[in-house]
Structures are given as C-alpha cells and as structure tokens.
Amino acid sequence: MTSRLAGRFAELKAANRSALVTYICAGDPGYDASLSLLKQLPAAGADVIELGMPFSDPMADGPTIQAAAVRALNAGQTQLKTLEMVRQFRRDDQTTPLVLMGYYNPIYRYGPEAFMRDAREAGVDGLLIVDLPAEHDSELGPLAREAGLDMIRMATPTTDAKRLPAVLDRASGFLYYVSLNGVTGVGQADNATVRDAIGAIQQQTELPVCVGFGVRTPEQAARFALDAQGVVVGSALVEQIANANSPEQGVKDVLSLVSALSAAVKQARN
C-alpha cells in the first residue's frame, strides 16, 4: 500500500511541480483556532502539513517557533490533544499527508510504543524528530516502521558526503534539507548553494528533497521550488498568528499567506 506521502509526491512529480509543505504548531494560539487552521490548510494550498508538537525546550527553533510553543503550552496543549487534532482533521481529510515534527522528550514521556500506536490510529503519516539523528534510529525507527510511519531525516549544509549515506539509511517519506546553519526563521539561504546540495543528495537517493529554514516569501519559495521536490515554510506562517490582534485574524492571515505561497510554487516551473 502506497503511503500518503509517497502518493502525494508521485502526484506532484507527474504534474511537474514542487510541494508546499506548511508548518504550524499544534495548539497555537489555542486548541480551537489551531484546529480550525489545520483543517483549512489543504484548501488554501498546503500539499503536506507539518504539525509541531510543542515542547518547552525547542533548541533547533528560533524565537518565532519557540514563542509559538510557549503559547500552545500555556493554552494547555498536550500530546494527547495534538493527536486528537489529527483525528479531527482526518474526519474530513483522508488524503493530505500529515507529519508530526518536534522533539523526542514528549514522545519518551508518552511512551514510544503507545505513541506510535496512537499516532497511527489518529492518522499520522510520518515523524520528523529534530533531536534524534540517524545514529539514534534504534530509539524510534523500528517502532515507526512497524507502525507504518515514515521516519523523515534532516540533512544540513554540514552533512558531508561521508555522513550522507548514514542520514539516508532507512529514511523514508522525504528528506528535509536545512538550507542554512542555525535555527529556524533566521537568515536566508543562497539559491545556488542549495541547488548544488540538492543535486548531490539526489545522486544518492530517490527520496523527495524538501528545503526548509529561511523560506519566508512567495518569491523565495518559487526559487527553491525550481530544484527541490518540496518547499517548507514555518516561521513566516507562525508569525502571522503572533502578530494578529485575534486568533481568528491569525487564522485568516496564515491562510492568505499559504494561498500566495501555493500560487508561487505552482507557477515556478511553468
């Protein structure tokens, strides 16, 4: 059986276009607004959704997503509620791939075996665990594969040719290429450098490569969409929530930006 992620990337490849991968933090700014936003992302143009699992020490994230995690946790978001959001989403949408992104600690506290069982039952398609590199695959990898969940790996500008095979080993779903060193939402990547990196990665894997970190505008998304199989936008969306004068306005502002990003990505290769 083809996974939702594999199916979606196959569809997009046939259409000769890149995926728009959108990140939001579960429970930001509150459960109801966050669930409303999640349900509306596909219609606005999101091809794949990354749903952040809020954690109190998100060391790979910049100030924007750190603040989102704080807002979500202060509003009472838990791992149980995050999985319930996925269940609610799946009642209306059985086709859009959804990846949980975050850190190992909340999964460890939940209990890895129970978490994998519940995540699969809820309708999660994959996991991107920032602080579990390939060398620690044994922590979650076997459980994820047994549950039929993709384990998505990350490569960075410092991932050299010697380490790349280890990163790709038993990776599935897609490869998340971090376009610049540092934390999310800070800086801007150089297109030529990213293009070269994607080319080197594609010589070693058939996995789709999605580029994230430092992608903020439709223009930037369109440029990366020329070479990558997916473009990930997170901090720029989360900022819309932070800057809005109400949760409802934040949802509208995120959806508006997603629509603009989607249009740019769709037109990139035309």
Side-chain angles (χ1 to χ4, degrees), residues 132-153:
L132 271 189
E135 289 79 3
H136 294 277
D137 178 78
S138 60
E139 294 284 350
L140 285 182
L143 291 173
R145 287 184 281 276
E146 185 178 335
L149 300 182
D150 285 310
M151 283 298 287
I152 295 154
R153 303 282 183 220

Side-chain angles (χ1 to χ4, degrees), residues 23-28 30 34 51-54 68 72-73 77 81-82 85:
Y23 170 95
I24 61 170
C25 181
D28 174 38
S34 186
L51 186 62
M53 300 177 288
L73 292 170
Q77 190 71 9
K81 287 184 175 180
T82 297
M85 284 180 67

Side-chain angles (χ1 to χ4, degrees), residues 10-30:
E11 292 168 10
L12 295 172
K13 182 178 181 180
N16 189 35
R17 77 171 181 88
S18 186
L20 174 63
V21 184
T22 59
Y23 170 95
I24 61 170
C25 181
D28 174 38

Side-chain angles (χ1 to χ4, degrees), residues 157-170:
T158 59
T159 304
D160 58 22
K162 184 178 180 181
R163 184 166 185 271
L164 184 59
V167 172
L168 295 172
D169 183 38
R170 290 172 291 187

Side-chain angles (χ1 to χ4, degrees), residues 147-245:
L149 300 182
D150 285 310
M151 283 298 287
I152 295 154
R153 303 282 183 220
M154 303 182 87
T156 74
T158 59
T159 304
D160 58 22
K162 184 178 180 181
R163 184 166 185 271
L164 184 59
V167 172
L168 295 172
D169 183 38
R170 290 172 291 187
S172 60
F174 62 89
L175 183 76
Y176 189 127
Y177 181 72
V178 178
S179 64
L180 42 81
N181 292 318
V183 295
T184 56
V186 179
Q188 181 176 337
D190 175 72
N191 288 79
T193 303
V194 172
R195 184 182 305 117
D196 291 345
I198 292 172
I201 292 168
Q202 289 174 331
Q203 290 179 4
Q204 298 198 37
T205 183
E206 294 184 359
L207 278 178
V209 180
C210 297
V211 176
F213 281 50
V215 185
R216 310 187 60 80
T217 67
E219 293 75 21
Q220 289 172 331
R223 287 196 293 271
F224 287 131
L226 290 172
D227 303 296
Q229 285 73 55
V231 181
V232 187
V233 183
S235 294
L237 300 180
V238 173
E239 277 180 2
Q240 304 302 311
I241 295 171
N243 295 335
N245 53 23

Side-chain angles (χ1 to χ4, degrees), residues 14-60:
N16 189 35
R17 77 171 181 88
S18 186
L20 174 63
V21 184
T22 59
Y23 170 95
I24 61 170
C25 181
D28 174 38
Y31 184 89
D32 292 341
S34 186
L35 178 59
S36 173
L37 174 56
L38 177 64
K39 288 182 173 182
Q40 295 180 76
L41 282 172
D47 298 300
V48 178
I49 296 171
E50 287 182 3
L51 186 62
M53 300 177 288
F55 176 49
S56 57
D57 186 25
M59 62 277 205

